[in-house]
Coordinates of all heavy atoms in Angstrom, one line a residue:
M1 N -26.4 -18.3 -5.2 CA -26.1 -18.6 -6.5 C -25.8 -17.4 -7.3 O -26.4 -16.4 -7.2 CB -27.2 -19.4 -7.2 CG -27.0 -19.6 -8.6 SD -28.0 -20.8 -9.5 CE -29.6 -20.5 -9.1
S2 N -24.8 -17.4 -8.1 CA -24.4 -16.3 -9.0 C -24.9 -16.5 -10.4 O -25.2 -17.6 -10.8 CB -22.9 -16.1 -9.0 OG -22.3 -17.0 -9.8
L3 N -24.9 -15.5 -11.1 CA -25.3 -15.6 -12.6 C -24.4 -16.5 -13.3 O -24.8 -17.2 -14.2 CB -25.3 -14.2 -13.2 CG -26.0 -14.0 -14.5 CD1 -27.5 -14.3 -14.3 CD2 -25.9 -12.5 -14.9
F4 N -23.1 -16.5 -12.9 CA -22.1 -17.4 -13.6 C -22.4 -18.9 -13.4 O -22.0 -19.7 -14.2 CB -20.7 -17.0 -13.2 CG -20.3 -15.6 -13.6 CD1 -20.2 -14.6 -12.7 CD2 -20.1 -15.3 -14.9 CE1 -19.9 -13.3 -13.1 CE2 -19.8 -14.0 -15.3 CZ -19.7 -13.0 -14.4
S5 N -23.1 -19.2 -12.3 CA -23.3 -20.6 -12.0 C -24.3 -21.2 -13.0 O -24.5 -22.4 -13.1 CB -23.8 -20.8 -10.6 OG -25.0 -20.2 -10.4
L6 N -25.0 -20.4 -13.8 CA -25.9 -20.8 -14.8 C -25.3 -21.2 -16.1 O -25.9 -21.8 -17.0 CB -27.0 -19.8 -15.0 CG -27.8 -19.4 -13.8 CD1 -28.8 -18.2 -14.1 CD2 -28.6 -20.6 -13.2
L7 N -24.0 -20.9 -16.2 CA -23.3 -21.2 -17.5 C -23.1 -22.7 -17.6 O -22.9 -23.4 -16.6 CB -22.0 -20.4 -17.5 CG -22.0 -18.9 -17.5 CD1 -20.7 -18.3 -17.4 CD2 -22.7 -18.4 -18.8
P8 N -23.0 -23.2 -18.9 CA -22.8 -24.6 -19.1 C -21.4 -25.0 -18.5 O -20.4 -24.3 -18.6 CB -22.8 -24.8 -20.6 CG -23.4 -23.5 -21.1 CD -23.2 -22.4 -20.1
G9 N -21.4 -26.2 -17.9 CA -20.1 -26.7 -17.4 C -19.8 -26.2 -16.0 O -18.9 -26.7 -15.4
D10 N -20.6 -25.4 -15.4 CA -20.3 -24.9 -14.0 C -21.2 -25.7 -13.1 O -22.4 -25.8 -13.2 CB -20.7 -23.4 -13.9 CG -20.3 -22.8 -12.5 OD1 -19.9 -23.6 -11.7 OD2 -20.4 -21.6 -12.4
S11 N -20.5 -26.4 -12.2 CA -21.2 -27.3 -11.2 C -21.9 -26.5 -10.1 O -22.7 -27.1 -9.4 CB -20.3 -28.3 -10.7 OG -19.3 -27.7 -9.8
G12 N -21.5 -25.3 -9.9 CA -22.1 -24.5 -8.8 C -21.3 -24.7 -7.5 O -21.6 -24.1 -6.5
L13 N -20.4 -25.7 -7.5 CA -19.6 -26.0 -6.3 C -18.4 -25.0 -6.3 O -17.9 -24.7 -7.3 CB -19.1 -27.4 -6.3 CG -20.2 -28.5 -6.3 CD1 -19.5 -29.8 -6.5 CD2 -21.0 -28.4 -5.1
P14 N -18.1 -24.6 -5.1 CA -16.9 -23.7 -5.0 C -15.6 -24.4 -5.4 O -15.5 -25.6 -5.1 CB -16.8 -23.3 -3.5 CG -17.7 -24.3 -2.8 CD -18.6 -24.9 -3.8
E15 N -14.8 -23.7 -6.1 CA -13.5 -24.3 -6.5 C -12.5 -24.3 -5.4 O -12.6 -23.5 -4.5 CB -12.9 -23.4 -7.7 CG -13.7 -23.5 -8.9 CD -13.0 -22.7 -10.1 OE1 -11.8 -22.6 -10.1 OE2 -13.8 -22.2 -10.9
A16 N -11.6 -25.2 -5.5 CA -10.5 -25.3 -4.5 C -9.6 -24.1 -4.6 O -9.4 -23.6 -5.7 CB -9.7 -26.6 -4.7
P17 N -9.2 -23.5 -3.5 CA -8.3 -22.3 -3.6 C -7.0 -22.7 -4.4 O -6.4 -23.7 -4.2 CB -8.0 -22.0 -2.1 CG -8.9 -22.8 -1.3 CD -9.4 -23.9 -2.2
L18 N -6.6 -21.7 -5.2 CA -5.4 -21.9 -6.0 C -4.3 -20.9 -5.6 O -4.6 -19.9 -5.1 CB -5.8 -21.7 -7.5 CG -6.8 -22.6 -8.1 CD1 -7.1 -22.2 -9.6 CD2 -6.4 -24.0 -8.0
C19 N -3.1 -21.3 -5.9 CA -1.9 -20.5 -5.7 C -2.1 -19.1 -6.3 O -2.6 -19.0 -7.4 CB -0.7 -21.2 -6.2 SG 0.9 -20.3 -5.9
S20 N -1.6 -18.1 -5.7 CA -1.7 -16.7 -6.2 C -0.6 -16.4 -7.2 O -0.6 -15.3 -7.8 CB -1.6 -15.7 -5.0 OG -2.7 -15.8 -4.2
R21 N 0.5 -17.2 -7.3 CA 1.6 -17.0 -8.2 C 1.0 -16.9 -9.6 O 0.2 -17.8 -10.1 CB 2.6 -18.0 -8.1 CG 3.8 -17.9 -9.1 CD 4.8 -16.9 -8.6 NE 6.0 -17.0 -9.3 CZ 6.5 -16.2 -10.3 NH1 5.8 -15.2 -10.6 NH2 7.6 -16.5 -10.8
K22 N 1.4 -15.9 -10.4 CA 0.9 -15.7 -11.7 C 1.1 -17.0 -12.6 O 2.2 -17.5 -12.7 CB 1.5 -14.6 -12.4 CG 1.0 -14.2 -13.8 CD 1.6 -13.0 -14.3 CE 1.0 -12.7 -15.7 NZ 1.6 -11.4 -16.3
G23 N 0.0 -17.5 -13.2 CA 0.1 -18.7 -14.1 C 0.0 -20.0 -13.4 O -0.1 -21.0 -14.0
C24 N 0.1 -20.0 -12.0 CA 0.1 -21.3 -11.3 C -1.4 -21.7 -11.1 O -2.2 -20.9 -10.6 CB 0.8 -21.1 -10.0 SG 0.9 -22.7 -9.1
R25 N -1.7 -22.9 -11.3 CA -3.0 -23.5 -11.1 C -3.0 -24.6 -10.1 O -4.0 -25.3 -9.9 CB -3.6 -24.0 -12.4 CG -3.6 -23.1 -13.6 CD -4.4 -21.8 -13.4 NE -5.8 -22.1 -13.2 CZ -6.7 -21.3 -12.7 NH1 -6.3 -20.1 -12.3 NH2 -7.9 -21.6 -12.6
A26 N -1.9 -24.7 -9.3 CA -1.8 -25.7 -8.2 C -2.7 -25.3 -7.0 O -2.9 -24.2 -6.7 CB -0.4 -25.8 -7.8
P27 N -3.1 -26.3 -6.3 CA -3.9 -26.1 -5.1 C -3.1 -25.3 -4.1 O -1.9 -25.6 -3.9 CB -4.3 -27.5 -4.6 CG -4.0 -28.4 -5.7 CD -3.0 -27.8 -6.6
A28 N -3.7 -24.4 -3.4 CA -3.0 -23.6 -2.3 C -2.9 -24.5 -1.1 O -3.9 -25.2 -0.7 CB -3.7 -22.3 -2.1
L29 N -1.8 -24.3 -0.4 CA -1.6 -25.0 0.9 C -1.2 -24.0 2.0 O -1.3 -24.4 3.2 CB -0.4 -26.0 0.8 CG -0.6 -27.1 -0.3 CD1 0.7 -27.9 -0.4 CD2 -1.8 -28.0 0.1
W30 N -0.9 -22.8 1.6 CA -0.4 -21.8 2.6 C -1.1 -20.5 2.4 O -1.5 -20.1 1.3 CB 1.1 -21.6 2.4 CG 1.9 -22.8 2.7 CD1 2.3 -23.7 1.8 CD2 2.2 -23.3 4.0 NE1 3.0 -24.7 2.4 CE2 2.9 -24.5 3.8 CE3 2.1 -22.8 5.3 CZ2 3.4 -25.2 4.8 CZ3 2.6 -23.6 6.3 CH2 3.3 -24.8 6.1
R31 N -1.3 -19.7 3.5 CA -1.8 -18.3 3.4 C -0.7 -17.4 3.8 O -0.1 -17.5 4.9 CB -3.0 -18.1 4.4 CG -4.2 -18.9 4.1 CD -5.3 -18.6 5.0 NE -5.0 -18.8 6.4 CZ -5.4 -18.1 7.5 NH1 -6.1 -17.0 7.3 NH2 -5.0 -18.4 8.7
L32 N -0.3 -16.5 3.0 CA 0.7 -15.5 3.3 C 0.0 -14.2 3.6 O -0.7 -13.6 2.7 CB 1.7 -15.3 2.1 CG 2.7 -16.4 1.9 CD1 2.0 -17.7 1.4 CD2 3.8 -15.9 0.9
L33 N 0.1 -13.8 4.8 CA -0.6 -12.6 5.3 C 0.4 -11.4 5.2 O 1.6 -11.5 5.6 CB -1.0 -12.7 6.7 CG -1.9 -13.9 7.0 CD1 -2.3 -14.0 8.5 CD2 -3.1 -13.9 6.1
W34 N -0.1 -10.3 4.6 CA 0.8 -9.1 4.4 C 0.0 -7.8 4.5 O -1.3 -7.9 4.5 CB 1.5 -9.2 3.0 CG 0.5 -9.2 1.9 CD1 -0.2 -10.3 1.4 CD2 0.2 -8.1 1.0 NE1 -0.9 -9.9 0.3 CE2 -0.7 -8.5 0.1 CE3 0.6 -6.8 1.0 CZ2 -1.2 -7.7 -0.9 CZ3 0.1 -5.9 0.1 CH2 -0.8 -6.4 -0.9
N35 N 0.7 -6.7 4.6 CA 0.0 -5.4 4.4 C 1.1 -4.4 4.0 O 2.3 -4.6 4.2 CB -0.7 -5.0 5.7 CG 0.1 -4.4 6.8 OD1 1.3 -4.4 6.7 ND2 -0.5 -3.7 7.7
N36 N 0.6 -3.4 3.4 CA 1.5 -2.3 3.0 C 1.3 -1.1 4.0 O 0.2 -0.5 4.0 CB 1.1 -1.8 1.6 CG 2.0 -0.7 1.1 OD1 2.7 -0.1 1.9 ND2 2.1 -0.6 -0.2
P37 N 2.3 -0.9 4.9 CA 2.1 0.1 5.9 C 1.9 1.5 5.4 O 1.4 2.4 6.1 CB 3.4 0.0 6.8 CG 4.3 -0.7 5.9 CD 3.6 -1.6 4.9
K38 N 2.2 1.7 4.1 CA 2.0 3.1 3.6 C 0.6 3.4 3.3 O 0.2 4.5 3.2 CB 2.9 3.2 2.3 CG 4.3 3.2 2.5 CD 5.1 3.4 1.2 CE 6.6 3.4 1.5 NZ 7.3 3.5 0.2
I39 N -0.2 2.3 3.1 CA -1.6 2.5 2.7 C -2.6 1.8 3.6 O -3.8 2.0 3.5 CB -1.9 2.2 1.2 CG1 -1.6 0.7 0.9 CG2 -1.1 3.1 0.3 CD1 -1.9 0.3 -0.5
H40 N -2.2 0.8 4.4 CA -3.1 0.0 5.2 C -2.9 0.3 6.7 O -1.7 0.6 7.1 CB -2.8 -1.5 5.0 CG -3.0 -2.0 3.6 ND1 -2.1 -2.7 3.0 CD2 -4.1 -1.8 2.8 CE1 -2.6 -3.0 1.7 NE2 -3.7 -2.4 1.6
T41 N -3.9 0.2 7.5 CA -3.8 0.3 8.9 C -2.9 -0.9 9.4 O -2.9 -2.0 8.8 CB -5.1 0.3 9.6 OG1 -5.8 -0.9 9.3 CG2 -6.0 1.5 9.2
P42 N -2.3 -0.8 10.6 CA -1.4 -1.9 11.1 C -2.1 -3.2 11.2 O -1.4 -4.3 11.0 CB -0.8 -1.3 12.4 CG -1.0 0.1 12.3 CD -2.2 0.4 11.4
E43 N -3.3 -3.2 11.6 CA -4.0 -4.5 11.9 C -4.6 -5.1 10.6 O -4.9 -6.3 10.6 CB -5.1 -4.3 12.9 CG -6.3 -3.5 12.5 CD -6.0 -2.0 12.7 OE1 -5.0 -1.5 13.2 OE2 -6.9 -1.2 12.2
R44 N -4.6 -4.4 9.5 CA -5.2 -5.0 8.3 C -4.2 -6.0 7.7 O -3.0 -5.9 7.7 CB -5.3 -3.8 7.2 CG -5.6 -4.3 5.8 CD -7.0 -4.0 5.4 NE -7.4 -4.6 4.2 CZ -7.5 -3.9 3.0 NH1 -7.4 -2.6 3.0 NH2 -7.9 -4.6 1.9
R45 N -4.8 -7.1 7.3 CA -4.0 -8.2 6.6 C -4.7 -8.6 5.3 O -5.9 -8.9 5.2 CB -4.0 -9.5 7.5 CG -3.2 -9.3 8.8 CD -1.7 -9.1 8.5 NE -0.9 -8.9 9.7 CZ -0.6 -7.8 10.3 NH1 -1.0 -6.6 9.7 NH2 0.1 -7.7 11.3
K46 N -3.9 -8.5 4.3 CA -4.3 -9.0 3.0 C -3.7 -10.4 2.8 O -2.8 -10.8 3.5 CB -3.8 -8.1 1.9 CG -4.4 -6.7 2.0 CD -4.1 -5.7 1.0 CE -4.6 -6.1 -0.4 NZ -5.8 -5.6 -0.8
T47 N -4.3 -11.2 1.9 CA -3.9 -12.6 1.9 C -3.5 -13.0 0.4 O -4.3 -12.7 -0.5 CB -5.0 -13.5 2.4 OG1 -5.4 -13.2 3.7 CG2 -4.6 -15.0 2.3
W48 N -2.4 -13.7 0.3 CA -2.1 -14.4 -0.9 C -2.0 -15.9 -0.6 O -1.7 -16.2 0.6 CB -0.7 -14.0 -1.4 CG -0.6 -12.7 -2.2 CD1 -1.7 -11.9 -2.5 CD2 0.5 -12.1 -2.7 NE1 -1.2 -10.8 -3.2 CE2 0.1 -10.9 -3.3 CE3 1.9 -12.4 -2.6 CZ2 1.0 -10.0 -3.9 CZ3 2.8 -11.5 -3.2 CH2 2.4 -10.3 -3.9
L49 N -2.4 -16.7 -1.5 CA -2.4 -18.1 -1.3 C -1.2 -18.7 -2.0 O -0.8 -18.2 -3.1 CB -3.7 -18.8 -1.8 CG -4.9 -18.3 -1.1 CD1 -6.2 -19.0 -1.7 CD2 -4.9 -18.5 0.4
A50 N -0.6 -19.7 -1.5 CA 0.6 -20.3 -2.1 C 0.6 -21.8 -2.1 O 0.1 -22.5 -1.1 CB 1.9 -19.9 -1.4
C51 N 1.1 -22.4 -3.2 CA 1.3 -23.9 -3.2 C 2.6 -24.1 -2.6 O 3.4 -23.2 -2.3 CB 1.2 -24.4 -4.7 SG 2.5 -23.7 -5.7
A52 N 3.0 -25.4 -2.4 CA 4.3 -25.7 -1.8 C 5.4 -25.2 -2.7 O 6.4 -24.7 -2.1 CB 4.4 -27.3 -1.7
E53 N 5.3 -25.3 -4.0 CA 6.4 -24.8 -4.9 C 6.7 -23.3 -4.8 O 7.8 -22.9 -4.9 CB 6.1 -25.2 -6.3 CG 7.2 -24.8 -7.3 CD 6.8 -25.2 -8.7 OE1 5.8 -25.9 -8.9 OE2 7.6 -24.8 -9.6
H54 N 5.6 -22.5 -4.7 CA 5.8 -21.1 -4.8 C 5.7 -20.3 -3.4 O 5.9 -19.1 -3.4 CB 4.7 -20.5 -5.7 CG 4.9 -20.9 -7.1 ND1 3.9 -21.6 -7.8 CD2 5.9 -20.7 -8.0 CE1 4.4 -21.9 -9.0 NE2 5.6 -21.3 -9.1
R55 N 5.6 -21.1 -2.3 CA 5.6 -20.4 -1.0 C 6.8 -19.6 -0.8 O 6.7 -18.4 -0.4 CB 5.5 -21.5 0.1 CG 5.5 -20.9 1.5 CD 5.6 -21.9 2.5 NE 5.9 -21.3 3.8 CZ 6.1 -21.9 4.9 NH1 6.0 -23.3 4.9 NH2 6.3 -21.3 6.0
G56 N 8.0 -20.1 -1.0 CA 9.2 -19.4 -0.8 C 9.4 -18.2 -1.7 O 9.8 -17.1 -1.2
W57 N 9.0 -18.3 -3.0 CA 9.1 -17.2 -3.9 C 8.2 -16.1 -3.5 O 8.6 -14.9 -3.5 CB 8.7 -17.7 -5.3 CG 9.0 -16.7 -6.3 CD1 10.2 -16.6 -7.1 CD2 8.2 -15.6 -6.7 NE1 10.1 -15.5 -7.9 CE2 8.9 -14.8 -7.7 CE3 7.0 -15.1 -6.3 CZ2 8.4 -13.7 -8.3 CZ3 6.5 -13.9 -6.9 CH2 7.2 -13.2 -7.9
L58 N 6.9 -16.4 -3.1 CA 6.0 -15.3 -2.7 C 6.4 -14.7 -1.4 O 6.4 -13.5 -1.2 CB 4.6 -15.9 -2.6 CG 4.0 -16.3 -4.0 CD1 2.7 -17.1 -3.8 CD2 3.6 -15.0 -4.8
E59 N 6.9 -15.5 -0.4 CA 7.4 -15.0 0.8 C 8.6 -14.0 0.6 O 8.6 -12.9 1.2 CB 7.8 -16.1 1.8 CG 6.8 -16.5 2.7 CD 7.3 -17.5 3.8 OE1 8.5 -17.5 4.1 OE2 6.4 -18.2 4.3
D60 N 9.5 -14.4 -0.2 CA 10.7 -13.6 -0.5 C 10.3 -12.3 -1.2 O 10.8 -11.2 -0.8 CB 11.7 -14.4 -1.4 CG 12.9 -13.6 -1.7 OD1 13.6 -13.2 -0.7 OD2 13.3 -13.3 -2.8
Y61 N 9.3 -12.3 -2.1 CA 8.8 -11.1 -2.8 C 8.3 -10.2 -1.7 O 8.6 -9.0 -1.8 CB 7.7 -11.6 -3.8 CG 7.1 -10.4 -4.5 CD1 7.7 -10.0 -5.7 CD2 6.0 -9.7 -4.0 CE1 7.1 -8.9 -6.5 CE2 5.5 -8.6 -4.7 CZ 6.0 -8.3 -5.9 OH 5.5 -7.2 -6.6
L62 N 7.4 -10.7 -0.8 CA 6.8 -9.8 0.2 C 7.9 -9.3 1.2 O 7.8 -8.1 1.6 CB 5.7 -10.5 0.9 CG 4.5 -10.8 0.0 CD1 3.5 -11.8 0.8 CD2 3.7 -9.6 -0.4
R63 N 8.8 -10.2 1.6 CA 9.8 -9.8 2.6 C 10.7 -8.7 2.0 O 11.1 -7.8 2.7 CB 10.6 -11.0 3.0 CG 9.9 -11.9 4.0 CD 10.9 -13.1 4.3 NE 10.2 -14.2 5.0 CZ 10.2 -14.3 6.3 NH1 10.8 -13.5 7.1 NH2 9.6 -15.3 6.9
T64 N 11.1 -8.9 0.8 CA 12.0 -7.9 0.2 C 11.4 -6.5 0.2 O 12.1 -5.5 0.3 CB 12.3 -8.3 -1.3 OG1 12.9 -9.6 -1.2 CG2 13.2 -7.3 -2.0
R65 N 10.1 -6.4 0.1 CA 9.4 -5.1 0.0 C 8.8 -4.7 1.4 O 8.1 -3.8 1.5 CB 8.2 -5.2 -1.0 CG 8.8 -5.3 -2.4 CD 7.8 -6.0 -3.4 NE 8.4 -6.0 -4.7 CZ 9.3 -6.9 -5.1 NH1 9.7 -7.9 -4.2 NH2 9.8 -6.9 -6.3
L66 N 9.2 -5.5 2.4 CA 8.8 -5.2 3.8 C 7.3 -5.2 4.0 O 6.7 -4.5 4.8 CB 9.4 -3.9 4.3 CG 10.9 -3.7 4.2 CD1 11.3 -2.3 4.6 CD2 11.6 -4.8 5.1
L67 N 6.6 -6.1 3.3 CA 5.2 -6.3 3.3 C 4.7 -7.5 4.1 O 3.6 -7.6 4.6 CB 4.6 -6.3 1.9 CG 4.9 -5.1 1.0 CD1 4.4 -5.3 -0.4 CD2 4.4 -3.8 1.6
W68 N 5.6 -8.5 4.2 CA 5.2 -9.8 4.8 C 5.0 -9.7 6.3 O 5.7 -9.0 7.0 CB 6.3 -10.8 4.5 CG 6.1 -12.2 5.1 CD1 5.4 -13.2 4.5 CD2 6.5 -12.7 6.3 NE1 5.3 -14.3 5.3 CE2 6.0 -14.0 6.5 CE3 7.2 -12.2 7.4 CZ2 6.3 -14.8 7.6 CZ3 7.5 -12.9 8.5 CH2 7.0 -14.2 8.6
R69 N 3.9 -10.4 6.8 CA 3.6 -10.4 8.2 C 3.7 -11.8 8.8 O 4.4 -12.0 9.8 CB 2.3 -9.8 8.5 CG 2.1 -8.3 8.1 CD 3.1 -7.4 8.8 NE 3.2 -6.1 8.3 CZ 4.2 -5.6 7.6 NH1 5.3 -6.3 7.4 NH2 4.2 -4.3 7.2
E70 N 3.1 -12.8 8.2 CA 3.2 -14.1 8.6 C 2.6 -15.1 7.6 O 1.9 -14.7 6.7 CB 2.5 -14.4 10.0 CG 1.0 -14.3 9.9 CD 0.3 -14.5 11.3 OE1 0.8 -15.4 12.0 OE2 -0.6 -13.8 11.6
T71 N 3.1 -16.4 7.7 CA 2.6 -17.4 6.8 C 1.9 -18.5 7.7 O 2.5 -18.9 8.7 CB 3.8 -18.1 6.1 OG1 4.4 -17.0 5.3 CG2 3.3 -19.2 5.2
L72 N 0.7 -18.9 7.3 CA -0.1 -19.9 8.0 C -0.5 -21.0 7.1 O -0.7 -20.7 5.9 CB -1.3 -19.2 8.6 CG -1.0 -18.1 9.6 CD1 -2.3 -17.4 10.0 CD2 -0.4 -18.6 10.9
P73 N -0.7 -22.2 7.6 CA -1.3 -23.2 6.7 C -2.7 -22.9 6.3 O -3.4 -22.3 7.1 CB -1.2 -24.5 7.6 CG -0.8 -24.1 8.9 CD -0.4 -22.6 8.9
L74 N -3.1 -23.3 5.1 CA -4.4 -23.1 4.6 C -5.2 -24.4 5.1 O -4.8 -25.5 4.6 CB -4.5 -23.0 3.1 CG -5.9 -22.9 2.5 CD1 -6.5 -21.6 3.0 CD2 -5.8 -22.9 1.0
T75 N -6.1 -24.2 5.9 CA -6.9 -25.4 6.4 C -8.4 -25.2 6.1 O -8.8 -24.1 5.7 CB -6.7 -25.5 8.0 OG1 -7.3 -24.3 8.6 CG2 -5.3 -25.7 8.4
E76 N -9.1 -26.2 6.4 CA -10.6 -26.1 6.1 C -11.2 -24.9 6.9 O -12.1 -24.3 6.5 CB -11.3 -27.4 6.5 CG -10.9 -28.6 5.6 CD -11.6 -28.4 4.2 OE1 -12.7 -27.9 4.2 OE2 -11.0 -28.9 3.2
A77 N -10.7 -24.7 8.1 CA -11.2 -23.7 9.0 C -10.8 -22.3 8.6 O -11.5 -21.3 9.0 CB -10.8 -24.0 10.5
S78 N -9.7 -22.2 7.9 CA -9.3 -20.9 7.5 C -10.0 -20.4 6.3 O -10.4 -21.1 5.5 CB -7.7 -20.9 7.3 OG -7.4 -21.7 6.2
S79 N -10.1 -19.1 6.2 CA -10.9 -18.5 5.1 C -10.0 -18.4 3.9 O -8.9 -17.8 4.0 CB -11.3 -17.1 5.5 OG -11.9 -16.4 4.4
P80 N -10.4 -19.0 2.8 CA -9.5 -18.9 1.6 C -9.6 -17.6 0.8 O -9.1 -17.6 -0.3 CB -10.0 -20.1 0.8 CG -11.4 -20.2 1.1 CD -11.5 -19.8 2.6
C81 N -10.3 -16.6 1.3 CA -10.5 -15.4 0.5 C -9.1 -14.7 0.3 O -8.3 -14.8 1.1 CB -11.4 -14.4 1.2 SG -10.9 -13.8 2.7
T82 N -9.0 -14.1 -0.8 CA -7.7 -13.4 -1.2 C -8.0 -12.0 -1.5 O -9.0 -11.7 -2.1 CB -7.0 -14.1 -2.4 OG1 -7.9 -14.0 -3.5 CG2 -6.6 -15.5 -2.0
D83 N -7.0 -11.1 -1.2 CA -7.0 -9.8 -1.6 C -5.7 -9.6 -2.3 O -4.7 -9.7 -1.8 CB -7.0 -8.8 -0.4 CG -8.3 -8.9 0.4 OD1 -9.4 -9.1 -0.2 OD2 -8.3 -8.7 1.6
S84 N -5.8 -9.3 -3.6 CA -4.6 -9.1 -4.4 C -4.1 -7.7 -4.3 O -4.7 -6.8 -4.0 CB -4.9 -9.4 -5.8 OG -5.3 -10.7 -5.9

């Protein structure tokens, strides 16, 4: 339990993962795995989450900068953690 779970209105249940696109509050359906070869080791993968609407936009953003590695579905078994 965190200190924030004691605040009024917090159920203490984990929230559903949300899309990483700025301002988007839609549920995430995809994991976009990426890394910056200038600062990350080759095996390191950072994760952005994407809804159906923003998957293409986020993929294009990462591909244009040569950062994109792969896109996988977000499932119950996959870890929804994100590194921005």
Side-chain angles (χ1 to χ4, degrees):
M1 172 167 43
S2 78
L3 198 56
F4 295 108
S5 65
L6 300 175
L7 295 174
D10 188 351
S11 67
L13 299 173
E15 292 184 28
L18 299 178
C19 180
S20 296
R21 177 78 163 108
K22 185 176 181 178
C24 183
R25 306 301 296 162
L29 301 173
W30 299 96
R31 294 184 302 142
L32 284 71
L33 305 180
W34 64 279
N35 84 345
N36 184 338
K38 293 180 182 179
I39 60 174
H40 300 130
T41 59
E43 65 278 353
R44 170 108 188 251
R45 291 295 181 264
K46 297 186 65 97
T47 303
W48 280 355
L49 300 179
C51 65
E53 180 182 350
H54 293 118
R55 175 187 172 186
W57 189 95
L58 290 166
E59 264 186 24
D60 184 54
Y61 180 91
L62 292 169
R63 285 178 191 264
T64 300
R65 290 154 182 81
L66 305 175
L67 304 175
W68 179 86
R69 298 298 171 251
E70 68 179 317
T71 299
L72 301 170
L74 179 66
T75 62
E76 291 289 325
S78 63
S79 171
C81 67
T82 60
D83 294 327
S84 302

